[in-house]
């Protein structure tokens, strides 16, 4: 469908893999542990900074840098080209039992069409978003561990995205 008017549009496909993409960034990891009381306290922090996430679906199309946006699915890529991401884990282990808390921070991103139009678009991306998870495990034997966890510990709903803030027509916003 044509994004502007919703009418049928043209689909351009090829029978060869002519797309191209290039991505580069900086990854950092920090691991630390300390014996405290009867167990060990440990932490692990992963940080990723995306310098570029460039893609072009066809060799005749310009290469677009989607870093800091929802990204593109051209060339079979996954979306979500966050400029940076953070994943942190804190755990405590006593003998065969362990307990851990995970924090994932995703910063705000622009919508995918933002880098393609000078001055941007009125469509919203997503605000910064934090998720927490709790997990516990117990080593029953050297080869068998039982694990349980709670994903989205604080039951946080995902943010609304892709809203056209310039659209104030009640017939198309659903606010009749």
């Amino acid at each position: 469908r044509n994004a502007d008017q919703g009418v049928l549009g043209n689909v351009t496909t090829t029978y060869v893999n002519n797309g191209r993409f290039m991505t580069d960034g900086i990854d950092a990891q920090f691991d630390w542990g300390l014996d405290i009381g009867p167990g060990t306290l440990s932490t692990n922090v992963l940080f990723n900074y995306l310098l570029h996430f460039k893609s072009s679906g066809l060799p005749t199309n310009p290469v677009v840098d989607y870093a800091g946006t929802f990204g593109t699915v051209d060339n079979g890529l996954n979306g979500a080209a966050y400029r940076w991401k953070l994943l942190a884990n804190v755990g405590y282990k006593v003998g065969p039992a362990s307990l851990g808390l995970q924090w994932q921070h995703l910063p705000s991103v622009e919508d995918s069409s933002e880098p393609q139009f000078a001055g941007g678009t009125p469509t919203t991306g997503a605000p910064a978003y934090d998720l927490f998870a709790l997990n516990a495990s117990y080593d029953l034997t050297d080869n068998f561990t039982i694990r349980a966890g709670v994903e989205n510990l604080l039951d946080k709903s995902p943010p609304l995205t892709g809203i056209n803030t310039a659209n104030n027509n009640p017939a198309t916003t659903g606010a009749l």
Side-chain angles (χ1 to χ4, degrees), residues 2 8 12 16 23 42 65 81 88-89 102 151 156 158 160 166 173-174:
N2 180 304
L8 290 177
T12 305
V16 293
T23 181
S42 62
D65 191 352
N89 294 285
Q102 180 185 74
E151 300 290 329
K156 185 167 185 175
L160 292 175
T173 63

Side-chain angles (χ1 to χ4, degrees), residues 2-4 62-66 69 110-123 164:
N2 180 304
D4 296 329
V63 175
V64 177
D65 191 352
Y66 290 97
T69 72
E110 298 290 343
D111 72 290
S112 296
S113 60
E114 202 75 17
Q116 299 174 34
F117 298 101
T121 68
T123 306
N164 182 347

Side-chain angles (χ1 to χ4, degrees), residues 31-43 91-93:
D31 295 301
W32 178 78
L34 177 67
D35 291 334
I36 294 181
T40 303
L41 177 69
S42 62
T43 186
Y92 190 71
K93 184 169 176 76

